Amino acid sequence: LCLVDQEDNETLLLDLNQIAFSREFTLVLSWSFYEAARYIETYKVYQNRQPTIIQKKVNSDALSKAEDCLCTIPAINKTDVTTLLKTFDSVEGVFNASEEELALCPGMGEKKISNLYDTVHKPFFLNKKRNSNEKEKTL
């Protein structure tokens, strides 16, 4: 448990996260004493209980998996997922759809279409970072 009380904390937290990850530790961050106390209280309540109490119930059917996947995209909800799957028959069909095809689905506004299309088709990394890494490799 780490209380974050520094204004410029990005590099420190990145280093701390890398250390915790390499040592297989769980890192819990809090930004106030109150929040840290709540984490400790919660830990003490669940300390001697089975992990199944707090684990998410996972459904193994295809629709539930598709909802879990697509609902992580901002503005996309379960109703949208059902509509998209009925229209395009599969998650692959949704991912391969053009923006114009997505616009034909009822309830899909510009923001939802933009978020979905960008999530699937835009690269995960910004070109600035990629270009600077390529320059370093060539040197």
Side-chain angles (χ1 to χ4, degrees):
L1 178 61
C2 177
L3 175 65
V4 180
D5 60 355
Q6 298 223 344
E7 291 295 320
D8 184 29
N9 56 31
E10 187 173 330
T11 55
L12 295 172
L13 292 178
L14 180 62
D15 292 340
L16 186 59
N17 188 38
Q18 288 174 341
I19 292 167
F21 182 77
S22 67
R23 304 285 192 278
E24 297 183 6
F25 288 165
T26 300
L27 177 63
V28 178
L29 301 174
S30 65
W31 274 259
S32 69
F33 288 110
Y34 177 78
E35 185 179 13
R38 294 291 299 175
Y39 282 130
I40 293 170
E41 287 173 349
T42 303
Y43 174 75
K44 292 302 283 178
V45 167
Y46 290 104
Q47 183 176 6
N48 296 319
R49 298 198 181 175
Q50 295 295 325
T52 54
I53 292 174
I54 58 173
Q55 289 177 335
K56 181 181 175 185
K57 305 292 185 228
V58 179
N59 295 324
S60 59
D61 64 299
L63 178 61
S64 296
K65 289 180 180 180
E67 285 176 350
D68 287 343
C69 173
L70 293 172
C71 285
T72 60
I73 299 171
I76 302 294
N77 57 41
K78 290 182 180 186
T79 305
D80 297 326
V81 173
T82 304
T83 303
L84 289 166
L85 292 176
K86 283 182 181 177
T87 305
F88 299 106
D89 297 324
S90 67
V91 174
E92 182 181 9
V94 173
F95 287 173
N96 291 329
S98 68
E99 288 181 285
E100 293 78 21
E101 292 171 324
L102 293 170
L104 297 175
C105 293
M108 293 295 290
E110 288 182 30
K111 184 176 182 178
K112 290 180 181 185
I113 293 168
S114 175
N115 288 347
L116 176 58
Y117 191 83
D118 290 349
T119 299
V120 175
H121 293 95
K122 286 198 175 177
F124 290 109
F125 300 103
L126 297 175
N127 289 335
K128 291 180 184 178
K129 291 182 181 180
R130 185 181 302 154
N131 289 339
S132 65
N133 289 340
E134 288 174 358
K135 288 178 186 176
E136 290 175 8
K137 289 177 184 177
T138 57
L139 296 176

